[in-house]
């Protein structure tokens, strides 16, 4: 059985390999035990009981994770989750800039893919969430390229280059951009399929 041959099994194998690569790159703790930088909640919240125990090296490590995740998105998602658990649903995000409505905030509280981050201790799921979105990005590009009649080899290389490359790794440091980057390939695939179907129907007519 060839990874880039023909048949459904080869296609499934390509998707499985891309998914495993995505988890290896985005969730290194599962493989090497090394976490992504800046996932400690005390680094994001100065009021955290352990914030005073952080030294200069800890703060420097936290800065390697994009400030948007660490100082805006994760605290806002956590605050929104706490309010939901108390029976309220806040409309205002005090964590972003000088405060702004959640509906236009950089914290995607209404996006189901990030709901695990609103759970108690949700920052611990960040690696898993990023890994899932990297896998979605890889598979999305793979399917998009296959929809354009390119080979499985081209689809595999394209999916790996997109979902495991520098562009997506940089987007992963900003959760709203990570979601958009992960879902855009699937949207392009759907657009392509609709366009091709319309062209065929127009030709037949």
């Amino acid at each position: 059985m060839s990874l880039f041959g023909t048949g459904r099994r080869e296609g499934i194998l390509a998707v499985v390999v891309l998914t495993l690569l995505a988890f290896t790159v985005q969730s290194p703790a599962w493989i090497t035990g090394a976490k992504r930088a800046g996932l400690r909640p005390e680094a994001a919240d100065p009021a955290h009981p352990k914030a005073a125990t952080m030294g200069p090296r800890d703060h420097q490590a936290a800065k390697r994770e994009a400030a948007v995740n660490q100082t805006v998105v994760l605290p806002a998602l956590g605050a929104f989750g706490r309010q939901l658990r108390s029976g309220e649903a806040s409309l205002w995000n005090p964590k972003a800039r000088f405060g702004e409505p959640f509906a236009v905030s950089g914290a995607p509280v209404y996006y189901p893919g990030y709901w695990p981050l609103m759970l108690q201790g949700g920052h611990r799921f960040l690696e898993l969430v990023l890994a899932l979105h990297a896998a979605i990005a890889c598979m999305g590009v793979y399917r998009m390229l296959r929809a354009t009649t390119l080979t499985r080899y081209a689809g595999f290389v394209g999916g790996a280059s997109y979902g495991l490359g520098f562009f997506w790794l940089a987007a992963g440091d900003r959760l709203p951009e990570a979601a958009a980057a992960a879902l855009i390939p699937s949207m392009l695939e759907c657009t392509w399929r609709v366009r091709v179907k319309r062209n065929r129907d127009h030709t037949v007519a």
Side-chain angles (χ1 to χ4, degrees):
M1 181 172 63
S2 171
L3 177 60
F4 310 119
T6 59
R8 181 172 299 178
R9 290 181 301 176
E10 284 74 10
I12 293 175
L13 180 58
V15 169
V16 170
V17 171
L18 286 173
T19 301
L20 292 176
L21 288 174
F23 273 79
T24 302
V25 171
Q26 291 297 335
S27 295
W30 292 16
I31 308 299
T32 64
K35 282 184 171 292
R36 289 170 62 95
L39 299 185
R40 296 174 59 182
E42 56 267 32
D45 186 3
H48 194 280
K50 295 184 179 180
T53 65
M54 292 186 61
R57 301 182 71 178
D58 296 321
H59 285 288
Q60 187 64 30
K63 291 180 181 179
R64 287 200 293 267
E65 186 79 8
V68 174
N69 278 357
Q70 191 68 340
T71 63
V72 177
V73 181
L74 288 177
L77 289 172
F80 192 82
R82 287 193 295 272
Q83 291 176 350
L84 285 180
R85 289 192 292 274
S86 66
E88 301 178 359
S90 176
L91 301 178
W92 188 258
N93 178 13
K95 301 292 185 179
R97 303 176 183 88
F98 295 103
E100 61 187 17
F102 268 115
V104 297
S105 173
V109 296
Y110 301 114
Y111 173 55
Y114 291 157
W115 286 350
L117 301 176
M118 292 194 292
L119 300 174
Q120 189 171 3
H123 65 278
R124 293 175 297 181
F125 298 107
L126 180 58
E127 284 191 343
L128 176 61
V129 167
L130 289 175
L132 288 173
H133 281 76
I136 292 172
C138 290
M139 290 185 289
V141 171
Y142 175 81
R143 286 182 52 85
M144 180 186 71
L145 295 179
R146 288 293 293 148
T148 62
T149 68
L150 293 179
T151 64
R152 285 190 174 86
Y153 177 78
F156 182 88
V157 173
S161 299
Y162 181 79
L164 306 176
F166 176 78
F167 167 75
W168 204 93
L169 290 175
D173 287 334
R174 292 169 173 80
L175 287 171
E177 295 180 15
L183 298 176
I184 281 176
S186 297
M187 297 172 63
L188 292 176
E189 177 202 351
C190 293
T191 302
W192 175 269
R193 292 184 183 277
V194 170
R195 182 178 178 84
V196 169
K197 185 178 184 302
R198 285 183 177 178
N199 289 342
R200 288 176 180 174
D201 294 343
H202 182 72
T203 301
V204 171

